[in-house]
Amino acid sequence: MHRLTQGWPQRPGWRSSTDLLHAETGTKIDLGAMPPEGVARCRAAWARLSGRRTCVVYGNPNNPGNVRMTASQVALIDWDESHVDVADLDLVLPDNAAGLDDGALDIAGQASAAWEAAVCWDDEYAVRRLAEVRAV
């Protein structure tokens, strides 16, 4: 999916993680609602993705309820979190199933935690995810 959707346009009203380096809002994200120190940490994590190719990211690949498999194919359902961004956000999988090296896994993990904190801001899950994003 990531290879096939490189260069696709962004969904209306959405922003990528690297767009949020300079924008305050996008879709369900309002960085103004987050603590400034948390925003700085998120932006530092997303800055590590700058310059990478973008494509459609599914946005929730870790939810097994969203994956349907048969003997011959795999399908993803519930595309409401999908948007154009850096593929790394989809590659933070259990047990490093994407086979990322340590550095790439760290970058992807930090960016993904920052994204989920910003999207869900102000619930317990978002607070836990922001706690995973290292201080600047």
Side-chain angles (χ1 to χ4, degrees):
M1 172 190 74
H2 296 143
R3 280 191 303 269
L4 296 174
T5 61
Q6 288 181 5
W8 280 29
Q10 185 63 270
R11 291 173 66 177
W14 284 72
R15 305 253 188 204
S16 70
S17 55
T18 55
D19 289 338
L20 291 168
L21 295 175
H22 306 287
E24 291 291 317
T25 62
T27 318
K28 296 191 276 183
I29 295 175
D30 178 4
L31 296 178
M34 294 178 72
E37 183 270 337
V39 173
R41 289 175 23 215
C42 289
R43 285 182 165 156
W46 297 329
R48 297 170 73 192
L49 300 176
S50 291
R52 297 185 188 203
R53 284 189 179 166
T54 61
C55 61
V56 171
V57 295
Y58 177 67
N60 193 9
N62 290 320
N63 182 345
N66 289 343
V67 181
R68 301 288 189 246
M69 295 177 19
T70 67
S72 61
Q73 59 192 67
V74 175
L76 299 171
I77 62 170
D78 189 12
W79 287 80
D80 64 321
E81 295 295 324
S82 67
H83 64 286
V84 172
D85 213 320
V86 177
D88 297 48
L89 295 176
D90 272 350
L91 300 178
V92 183
L93 300 170
D95 301 316
N96 194 17
L100 301 176
D101 67 40
D102 290 344
L105 184 60
D106 179 65
I107 291 169
Q110 290 289 292
S112 178
W115 179 264
E116 290 186 13
V119 167
C120 303
W121 185 247
D122 210 18
D123 66 16
E124 287 182 32
Y125 177 75
V127 171
R128 280 195 318 270
R129 292 306 315 240
L130 183 58
E132 296 173 30
V133 181
R134 286 189 300 277
V136 179

